[in-house]
Amino acid sequence: MSGATGLEEVVNALKALYQGISQAEREQANVWLGQFQRTPGAWTTADAILGDENLGVEAKLFAAQTLRNKIISDLAELGEKGALELRDSLVRHLLRARAGMRPLVTQLCLGLADVAVQVGAWADPFSDMAAAFQEDAAAVGCLLEFLTVLPEEAVNERLEVPADFFRQRTELLLTRRAGDVITLLVQCLQQTDAHTRVLMCFTSWLRSGEITLAMIQDTPLVELVFAALQAEDSTVFETAVDAVCGIIQETHIDRDDSPEAVQAKDAAVERVLLPQLGALATQMRSDAQLAAGDEERARGYCHVFTEAGEAWVERIVGSITTFEGLVGALVDCMRLTTLDVITMMFDFWARLADVTLDCTSSCDGARRTLVVVYSTLIDIIIGHVRYPVADTAMSAKERDEFREFRHSIGDVLKDCVRVVGQSRALTQAYDAMARGIDGTSQTPWQDIEAPLFALRAMGAEVAPEEAEVLPKIMDMFARFPQHPRLRYAATLVIGRYTEWTYEHPQYVPFQLSYIVEGFKDREVAAASAQALKYLCQDCSRFLAAHWAELLQFFAETASSGTLEDADVIEFAEALAHVVSAVQAPETPAALEAFCLPVARELDALLQRAEASERDGAQVALLLDRLGVFLRFVHVDGNAPAEDLVSRIVVQTWPLVAAVLHRFAADAQVAESACKFLRVAAEFYGAVLRPEIGQVVDAVVNAFRATGLGVYLWLARRIIGVSSTLASDNAAALQLIATIVERMSEAALSLFAASSFSDAPETTEDYFRLVERAVEMAPGYVLNTSMFPLVFQAAAAALDVNLFHAQLAVLRAWAQILGPTRRHLRLIRDSSSDSHYDAYPVNRVVDMCAAHGLDVAARLLLGMMHRFDRENVTDAAEVFVSLTVIASDGPCIIAAQFENPPLPTMCEWAQTALTQVPEANLSNSEKQVFLQDLADCIQRRQWSKIKTLVSDFSASFWRRNSAKNRV
C-alpha cells in the first residue's frame, strides 16, 4: 500500500481488507481506510472510484459509504457550490448504477437524501429527481429508493442542521410533497415489477406522519398493502405489516379532530379497513406458514390486529356488533403458541378492560359480549401457562423465559377477573383443577398446576370476603395427587390468599399444617417459607398462641440443612410477625426463645481459634436471622419487651464488633454485619447511641483494611439517621462530619493506589456517601480539613467510565455546587451575606477558583466523548453551577454586587478545548462555542448555557462517533 497514491492506494487497501491473508494485514487496512475517510481528499477519491467503470462493486460501495458519511459530518467543507456539484455527481453515479446491486443504489440515495436535507440551495429535490429518473422505466426503482430513504434521513440525528432550517426543510421536502408522492406511487403501480418498492416507499412515508388517511383511502395503495400481506416473502410481508399499522394509526381519533374528521375516520374504518381485516383474519386461520410455526408470520398478524384493537378500543366497546369480527381475530391471535409474540397484546386487553368497566354497566350488551370474550381468555391463558409434559427437557434459559412469560400473562388474568367477576373467574380455575383430580390416575400434574398458577395470579382482584368458590378450592387441596410441583404451587396459592384466610380463620390450622409439611421436601421448602411469612404476617393473631411450637419447628428446620439460606430468613421474618402478636406477659419469653440461641451460637463460632469458610457463612446467616427478626418484630407499648429488645441490641454489638474484626474481608459476612447494624441504627437508634462511636471506629477500620463498598453503604445509612444516634442536633452534625472525614481519609488512600475506573462500585458508594453528607450537614462537611482533598478527588473521579459511578460523582458535584450557587443568588439579591454565615460559600468559591479549570475541563470533555449519554444532562447542570460560581462568586464574596460576570469559565473552556484535535473539532467551531458561552455569561443566561453545552457536546459526539465507523 505504501507505494501507491490516491485512488490506487484506496483500492489496494480494500483488497487487503477483503482478501488479506493475515489478520494483522486486514486490521491495518481497516484502520487506514477509516483514517482515509476523515481526510478532505476522500471527496474526490471516492467520486473517482464511483466513476471508474473498471472497479468492482466492493470498491464502489465503500466509496458511496464514504461520501455518505462525509455528507453527514463534513459537508461544510464543500460550501454551497461544492455541495450542488456533489449532488449532480451523485445523480450521474446513480443513473449508471440503476441496474446494479441494490446496496450501492441505497447508499447513493442516502447520500442524495442527506444533501437534500442539508442544502437549502437545492430548491426542489422531488421535481429534480423525478425529472431525472421517472422517464426511464429502468430508473424508476432509483427514484423510489430515494423517496423511501428521504423521510428517514430527514429525522437522522446525525445530521447537524439548525432547528429553524430543519422545520423549513422538512416542510418543503415532505409536507408539501406528500400528495405528489402518493400520485407518483399510484402511477408506478402500472409497473408490476415496481410493486414491492412502491410498498416500501409508501410505508416509509406513512411512518413519517406526512400521509393522511384522506390522501389514500380512495387509492389502490390500500389494496396493494393488504394484498402484500399474502406474500410468502418475509420482507414484503413485514413491510406490508408496517404499512397496514401505519394506515390504522391514521384512524386514531385525536382530541382536536373536528366532528367531520371523526366521521370521516369512522367511515374509513367501517367501509375500508374492517372488511380488509376480516379477510385477513380468514387468511390467518388458514395460513400454512403460520401453522408450520413461522414466528415472524405470527408476529405480523398479532401486530396488525393489536394495532387495530388499540386504535379502536373505544369504538369496539361503543359498537361491539360492528367490531365483533375484529375481537374474534384478537382472541384467535391469543391462541397462537408463539408465546413471546402474544405478549404484545397484553396492554390491549388491559385497556379494553378499563374502557369496558368505565363505559358499560353489567346489563349492557357490550359488557355481556365482552364477559364471554374474557372468559374465553381465561381458558386460553390456563392452556398457555401449562408446563410442557416433557418440562425436564427445557433448558435453564427456556425455563426462565417461560416463568417470565407466566408472570406477564398473569396481569391479563387480573384484567379477566375485573371484567367477568371474581366468582366466574375462580370457578373456571376450580373446574380446570377438578377435571384433573377427577380424571384418571395418569392425569399429568401440569393439568392441575396450570389452573393453580392462574388462581394465584388472580389473587389481587379477589376480595378477602369471597365465600362462594375459594372455600371449595381450599378444601380441594387435600385431594391433590402427591407431587412436589403441585404442592409447591398450592403452597404459593395459600401464601397469596392469606388476607382471605384472615377473614376465614377456620382455614388457618389446615393451611399451617399444609405449609409445615412442605418444609420436609427440598422442592417445596422455598414456597413453604414464603407462604409461612405471609400467613404469619396477615394471620399472626391466630398463630400467636402457637409461638413456642413454631419456634421449636424453626430451630429443627433451620439446623436440618433442608432449607436454603433465603428460606431460613423468610422463616425468621414469619416468626417476628407471630412474636409481635404474642400477648404482653409472654412476649419477653418469646423474644428470648428466638434471639438468645442465635447469640449463643454466634458467640460459640467466634470462640473458635480458626474459622473455616463454612463458619463464615454460618456467621453471616445468624446475623441475617437476628437482623431480620429485629427489623420486623414490633413490641411498642410493651415495656418489658421493649427493655429486653434494647438489651439484646446492646449485648449483640460486641459480637458484631468481633465479627467485623475477624471477618472484615469476607464479603458475605461483611454484608450481613452491615445489614444488622443498619437495622440497629435505623430501628433502635436511641439504644445504639452510646455505642455509636465504637460502631463508627469499627466500620472505618474495616473499610480501611478491606476497601469493601458495603462499609461505605453502611456509613451512608448511619448518616441518614444521625439525628436519632446523637443526643442533639449539633452532635448529629458533628457525627456526620466525623464519618465523612474518616471514611474519606481511608477512601482517598485506596483511590490513590488505583484509578476510579478500576473500582467503580467503591467509587459509586463513596460519592453517594459524600452527596448524602453534604446534603445533611453542609456547614460541617465542607469545613472539614479533608474536604479540599475530597474536592480534588471528585474532580479526578469525573474520569470514571461506568454509568452508575459517573452518576454518583455528578450528583455529589451537584450537591456541592448547587446550594452554593443558590446561596450566591440569595446574597446578591439581598446585597448582604449576613444571613448565610452558616453555609461556607466562601470556601466553595475559593476551591472552585483553585481547581475549577480541572473540573471544567473534565466536565466539558466528558460530555463530549466520555460520559454515558444519559448522564450528560446531570453533567450540564453541574457545569452551569460551576459557571455561575466562577463568574459571580468572587465579586459577590467581595460585596461587589454591580460588577459584571468574570470571563473565567470561557478561559477554562478554551484551555480544555485545546485538547481536542482540529480533525475532530475545527477552530472555527471552537470559537463559535466559546463566543456563545461568553455571550450567555455576560447576560447571565444560565439556563441557556445548559442547552448550549448539551447541544454542543451532542453534536460533537454524533459527528465523531459517525467518523469512527468504517
Side-chain angles (χ1 to χ4, degrees), residues 683-723:
F683 295 92
Y684 303 95
V687 175
L688 194 63
R689 185 182 300 158
E691 320 297 337
I692 193 60
Q694 298 178 37
V695 172
V696 171
D697 287 343
V699 172
V700 171
N701 291 336
F703 176 66
R704 183 182 292 112
T706 67
L708 292 178
V710 69
Y711 297 115
L712 293 165
W713 170 83
L714 175 60
R716 179 166 57 86
R717 301 305 293 250
I718 290 174
I719 286 174
V721 292
S722 56
S723 60

Side-chain angles (χ1 to χ4, degrees), residues 317 353-371 418-419:
V317 176
D354 290 339
V355 176
T356 299
L357 296 174
D358 289 343
C359 302
T360 66
S361 63
S362 59
C363 59
D364 284 351
R367 173 76 70 89
R368 290 195 297 270
T369 299
L370 289 170
V371 163
R418 293 164 55 209
V419 176

Side-chain angles (χ1 to χ4, degrees), residues 623-624 627 670-680 710 713-714:
L623 287 172
D624 286 339
E671 182 176 348
S672 297
C674 288
K675 286 194 295 186
F676 176 87
L677 288 173
R678 173 246 171 177
V679 169
V710 69
W713 170 83
L714 175 60

Side-chain angles (χ1 to χ4, degrees), residues 446-522:
Q446 292 91 338
D447 289 356
I448 304 173
E449 193 275 343
L452 271 173
F453 174 84
L455 183 65
R456 180 157 61 97
M458 295 175 185
E461 299 299 329
V462 177
E465 296 78 18
E466 202 285 328
E468 180 182 348
V469 186
L470 273 177
K472 294 193 295 183
I473 291 174
M474 294 298 173
D475 292 339
M476 180 185 286
F477 285 3
R479 298 166 50 206
F480 282 172
Q482 291 299 313
H483 194 285
R485 301 291 287 274
L486 287 182
R487 192 172 198 97
Y488 183 96
T491 302
L492 289 178
V493 169
I494 290 174
R496 182 62 190 81
Y497 284 90
T498 51
E499 292 180 354
W500 177 88
T501 304
Y502 179 85
E503 300 294 335
H504 303 80
Q506 66 270 28
Y507 286 94
V508 169
F510 167 75
Q511 291 184 358
L512 179 61
S513 175
Y514 195 89
I515 291 170
V516 167
E517 189 67 22
F519 279 105
K520 298 177 182 178
D521 190 326
R522 283 185 177 272

Side-chain angles (χ1 to χ4, degrees), residues 688-844:
L688 194 63
R689 185 182 300 158
E691 320 297 337
I692 193 60
Q694 298 178 37
V695 172
V696 171
D697 287 343
V699 172
V700 171
N701 291 336
F703 176 66
R704 183 182 292 112
T706 67
L708 292 178
V710 69
Y711 297 115
L712 293 165
W713 170 83
L714 175 60
R716 179 166 57 86
R717 301 305 293 250
I718 290 174
I719 286 174
V721 292
S722 56
S723 60
T724 63
L725 293 167
S727 57
D728 54 41
N729 186 58
L733 296 174
Q734 187 57 54
L735 173 62
I736 294 172
T738 299
I739 291 174
V740 169
E741 191 161 26
R742 297 186 63 191
M743 293 299 277
S744 293
E745 181 182 0
L748 298 186
S749 297
L750 174 70
F751 293 135
S754 62
S755 72
F756 290 98
S757 293
D758 291 336
E761 293 181 357
T762 305
T763 300
E764 178 187 352
D765 287 326
Y766 172 68
F767 284 101
R768 291 184 71 188
L769 168 68
V770 171
E771 176 196 7
R772 185 70 166 137
V774 175
E775 176 190 7
M776 295 194 65
Y780 280 71
V781 174
L782 298 178
N783 277 320
T784 61
S785 60
M786 281 295 298
F787 200 75
L789 297 177
V790 174
F791 193 95
Q792 295 174 60
L798 288 167
D799 289 343
V800 71
N801 55 16
L802 290 181
F803 170 78
H804 292 292
Q806 280 179 6
L807 186 59
V809 175
L810 289 169
R811 288 185 173 172
W813 272 114
Q815 193 58 56
I816 294 168
L817 301 182
T820 302
R821 170 186 170 186
R822 291 191 292 273
H823 278 291
L824 285 172
R825 185 180 69 245
L826 292 171
I827 296 171
R828 183 185 184 87
D829 291 345
S830 65
S831 298
S832 169
D833 62 357
S834 60
H835 298 293
Y836 308 103
D837 294 337
Y839 194 90
V841 175
N842 295 30
R843 192 164 206 221
V844 177

Side-chain angles (χ1 to χ4, degrees), residues 508 512 535-536 539-550 575 577-583 586 590:
V508 169
L512 179 61
L535 185 68
C536 291
C539 301
S540 57
R541 60 176 291 192
F542 306 115
L543 295 169
H546 305 285
W547 67 265
E549 298 97 305
L550 283 169
L575 290 174
H577 294 302
V578 173
V579 170
S580 298
V582 172
Q583 295 299 309
E586 293 186 86

